[in-house]
Amino acid sequence: MKTKKIVTLLAAASIITGLTGCGGSNDNGNNKPANTAQTTDSSNTPAATTENEPAATNQQPAADEKKQLEISTIQGTWASPLPDPNGNGAKMINEKFNVDLKTQFVPYDEYANKLPVVMAAGDLPDVIGMEGVDANFVKWAKQGAFLPLNDYIDKYDAIKNIPKNVWDAVTVDGKIYAIPNYFPSKYGKKPIIRQDWLNNLGLSMPTTYDELKKVAIAFTKNDPDKNGKNDTLGLGLAKSIVYGAWMGAEWDSGWYHKNENGQLIPGNISEGFKKQVTLLHDLYQEGAISKDWAVTKSADARKDFFAGKIGIFYEQPYDISETRFKTLKETNPGAELAVIPPFVQEDGQQGFTGLSGFYELHSLNAKMADDPDKIDRILEMINYFMTFIPVDQRNDQNPEYDWQYGGVGKGYTMENGVALSIDGAFSEMPTTYFGIRYWAPTDEDTQPAMVLQDPFTKGFVQSAVDLLKTTKTYLDPVNRIHSDLLYAKVSELDQAVVEHTTKMIVGQEPIADWDKMVEEYLNAGGQEIIDDVNKLLDENGIAGEWK
């Protein structure tokens, strides 16, 4: 399971610029940033902040009233080709804010290796972008590379509205060291099902694991697409148990369960996760998941789902590719999709594990501490691009939106009232050059269905949003603290769990050995991690919570 992947995926409610990858949702529920390239759908498009404001509310002084400042940045990007550092969007920023912007873009496939070299050299840009919080971020913050921002953020309306649980994620030893980019916690990957297959077979939406097992087997053996062929599978599973069959926080890999000492523990060694593995074992024995799943990439499993070969998979209702949905509908005209509601848990709760609430972040160089003018100018720019523009005002009639995206006909076009990016126009859009997204007052304010053109995709997204609007979200507390032990050891320990659980699913190890696997995990350093994580949670007054 991808215990440290997040979904990305990125954010935007109107224009899809292709600059950043989106972290998909739960990838088994834990949301620490990691390599999100495999799950990238699109882009870097601002997302939101002060409620229902039609445009930025913080007035900038006229350019000639401020001293011109040179501002340098480095950031990762998914855009291809790379934006031109001297493109029209950069020139527009220079003119509006009276700056000389020096931006360096690095493909995210190379950024994890490039940034440590830049940091080690010591001559840092003024603004440093990162994909997520990791051991390097914490190390560099503790070493004094980044400027503490606690004393600045209350001056900026958009920035100060970032919720505390997100600030916690970028806080080290009580100091805020970055401004995170918005990504909705509710709208990551969720289990979806072919509703038309349920209808064809006279089956109801599954509400328990026993019912899910029955449905997945029927999808495999009872010709759910009515084409007279034995060519379907119940559930799309990929190597490392990506996505799997988590139907709520109890069965996910986030830190939800507690041990006999009352300590939170990672979900992948919990009894809830064992139940999921048991189901997958049973489905494998019944032929309801691919016999080659252990070597199948998640992208290939997704491809099979949208080719109409699989009945249950995972998708997100936010920042998605309409192309995949249109392909499914063209080849399967009767296709209907629905999100499977979370199952009622043994503790009575019912909801999915949420994402961390952000994807990507921007830190400021600590060497600017004695240059308040530059700090203010940078934060002013970030605040401007972060200020929420409601979805129905993201069009050529809104001068702020039109400017941010380079102008209609240059950076975007209007189609049926929706702003659509022009392929390859990254360099035309000012919003490209700081990579900031609007901070939405609530996830519902993103209104992801409004920015879609394809009726089938639009219908699915709206139905998913309607369901998730009233569905609880569990906020994993581990996203809000920084454990050096966790960063150092968890990948190796999680990989060992993946190997054991993979063997259990295919029958090479008995599920009865679950406790033996857990003991191995704990003895190999897992208990030390659990002790450290719970100590940090207690010290900071942080606990898992539902919202």
Side-chain angles (χ1 to χ4, degrees):
M1 82 274 348
K2 300 188 327 191
T3 54
K4 298 298 159 195
K5 290 247 189 209
I6 104 177
V7 190
T8 226
L9 344 73
L10 250 209
S14 96
I15 223 173
I16 300 297
T17 66
L19 286 182
T20 53
C22 88
S25 146
N26 284 334
D27 284 0
N28 280 336
N30 205 313
N31 303 304
K32 287 289 183 184
N35 171 22
T36 57
Q38 293 180 356
T39 55
T40 297
D41 281 319
S42 55
S43 79
N44 175 31
T45 339
T49 171
T50 49
E51 184 153 10
N52 295 327
E53 291 178 352
T57 59
N58 298 277
Q59 297 297 316
Q60 288 81 36
D64 58 4
E65 296 178 9
K66 298 187 290 189
K67 177 180 69 174
Q68 186 183 60
L69 298 173
E70 179 178 304
I71 293 174
S72 58
T73 74
I74 185 171
Q75 57 190 302
T77 180
W78 294 108
S80 180
L82 293 178
D84 180 358
N86 299 308
N88 190 54
K91 294 174 182 177
M92 293 169 70
I93 287 177
N94 289 341
E95 181 179 356
K96 184 178 185 69
F97 294 95
N98 198 15
V99 297
D100 181 13
L101 188 63
K102 306 291 187 184
T103 299
Q104 181 181 1
F105 292 104
V106 180
Y108 264 127
D109 291 341
E110 304 170 14
Y111 200 52
N113 294 323
K114 172 73 172 179
L115 188 57
V117 175
V118 173
M119 298 296 294
D123 187 18
L124 300 182
D126 299 316
V127 182
I128 303 99
M130 296 183 68
E131 194 173 12
V133 173
D134 59 12
N136 277 333
F137 171 81
V138 175
K139 177 182 70 175
W140 294 330
K142 289 183 175 180
Q143 289 175 346
F146 303 142
L147 180 74
L149 299 172
N150 305 58
D151 295 337
Y152 301 97
I153 57 179
D154 282 347
K155 293 172 58 180
Y156 305 94
D157 290 344
I159 295 173
K160 72 180 182 182
N161 284 337
I162 294 173
K164 184 180 185 303
N165 67 290
V166 177
W167 281 130
D168 286 344
V170 294
T171 299
V172 179
D173 296 334
K175 296 179 180 179
I176 296 171
Y177 284 107
I179 297 174
N181 265 352
Y182 172 83
F183 193 89
S185 60
K186 286 185 180 180
Y187 295 156
K189 293 282 194 278
K190 298 293 182 289
I192 61 174
I193 194 167
R194 286 288 298 271
Q195 180 66 54
D196 56 312
W197 287 13
L198 286 174
N199 298 341
N200 288 344
L201 299 179
L203 298 171
S204 300
M205 181 70 74
T207 62
T208 66
Y209 272 103
D210 287 341
E211 292 175 5
L212 182 66
K213 177 179 174 180
K214 176 182 176 183
V215 166
I217 293 172
F219 279 1
T220 305
K221 299 183 177 182
N222 296 350
D223 191 21
D225 57 0
K226 301 302 180 184
N227 69 352
K229 300 177 182 178
N230 183 22
D231 59 354
T232 57
L233 287 173
L235 183 142
L237 187 63
K239 64 180 180 179
S240 299
I241 320 181
V242 172
Y243 305 136
W246 38 263
M247 296 295 156
E250 182 174 309
W251 307 282
D252 211 335
S253 63
W255 291 60
Y256 183 78
H257 293 270
K258 293 183 178 181
N259 61 19
E260 62 276 9
N261 296 319
Q263 294 176 304
L264 281 172
I265 62 172
N268 59 346
I269 61 168
S270 71
E271 287 298 309
F273 205 86
K274 177 183 178 182
K275 187 170 184 177
Q276 180 193 170
V277 170
T278 302
L279 170 79
L280 296 174
H281 166 82
D282 293 346
L283 294 183
Y284 182 82
Q285 297 300 315
E286 293 283 351
I289 57 178
S290 170
K291 67 181 187 305
D292 298 321
W293 74 269
V295 293
T296 298
K297 296 179 180 178
S298 58
D300 291 333
R302 181 178 62 196
K303 182 178 179 180
D304 284 344
F305 176 82
F306 284 101
K309 299 178 182 179
I310 291 173
I312 302 168
F313 194 58
Y314 291 78
E315 190 50 272
Q316 61 194 47
Y318 183 81
D319 192 34
I320 59 176
S321 167
E322 294 187 76
T323 301
R324 291 198 279 266
F325 286 83
K326 288 192 287 188
T327 297
L328 174 62
K329 193 66 172 178
E330 287 167 0
T331 56
N332 300 263
E336 297 178 30
L337 299 177
V339 172
I340 303 175
F343 297 167
V344 177
Q345 302 177 174
E346 290 187 10
D347 62 2
Q349 292 287 359
Q350 185 176 11
F352 293 115
T353 306
L355 294 176
S356 61
F358 73 99
Y359 171 72
E360 298 183 314
L361 49 89
H362 295 82
S363 295
L364 273 59
N365 189 337
K367 292 181 179 179
M368 290 191 295
D370 296 327
D371 193 346
D373 289 343
K374 181 174 280 193
I375 295 170
D376 182 70
R377 193 78 56 89
I378 291 170
L379 293 179
E380 174 188 296
M381 295 163 72
I382 290 175
N383 189 77
Y384 171 77
F385 284 111
M386 189 181 284
T387 299
F388 188 57
I389 295 178
V391 177
D392 62 359
Q393 297 178 33
R394 299 178 194 177
N395 53 52
D396 55 339
Q397 301 303 304
N398 185 319
E400 297 291 348
Y401 184 83
D402 185 67
W403 182 88
Q404 291 171 14
Y405 285 91
V408 67
K410 296 179 181 179
Y412 71 99
T413 59
M414 294 299 299
E415 184 175 330
N416 299 324
V418 176
L420 301 175
S421 63
I422 295 175
D423 288 344
F426 306 125
S427 300
E428 294 292 329
M429 298 182 282
T431 187
T432 293
Y433 288 87
F434 258 72
I436 304 297
R437 294 187 298 280
Y438 304 142
W439 198 281
T442 69
D443 288 351
E444 286 72 30
D445 289 313
T446 61
Q447 297 183 278
M450 282 187 63
V451 304
L452 300 172
Q453 296 288 296
D454 174 58
F456 179 58
T457 315
K458 195 180 187 80
F460 162 72
V461 168
Q462 189 58 57
S463 66
V465 168
D466 289 342
L467 171 68
L468 296 173
K469 189 182 301 183
T470 56
T471 298
K472 284 186 176 181
T473 298
Y474 176 70
L475 301 181
D476 190 337
V478 175
N479 292 327
R480 301 169 61 182
I481 51 97
H482 308 293
S483 165
D484 292 336
L485 278 173
L486 181 73
Y487 291 139
K489 295 184 177 183
V490 75
S491 293
E492 180 181 351
L493 290 173
D494 284 350
Q495 184 56 41
V497 172
V498 165
E499 292 171 3
H500 282 298
T501 50
T502 296
K503 290 178 180 178
M504 289 177 185
I505 291 170
V506 301
Q508 294 178 1
E509 285 185 17
I511 296 177
D513 281 354
W514 185 269
D515 290 344
K516 179 180 176 182
M517 178 196 74
V518 172
E519 183 178 1
E520 176 185 306
Y521 179 99
L522 297 176
N523 291 338
Q527 185 59 56
E528 295 175 41
I529 291 174
I530 291 169
D531 291 342
D532 192 52
V533 164
N534 281 271
K535 174 176 172 286
L536 290 169
L537 291 173
D538 290 342
E539 289 176 350
N540 290 279
I542 293 172
E545 59 185 283
W546 289 95
K547 74 167 189 176

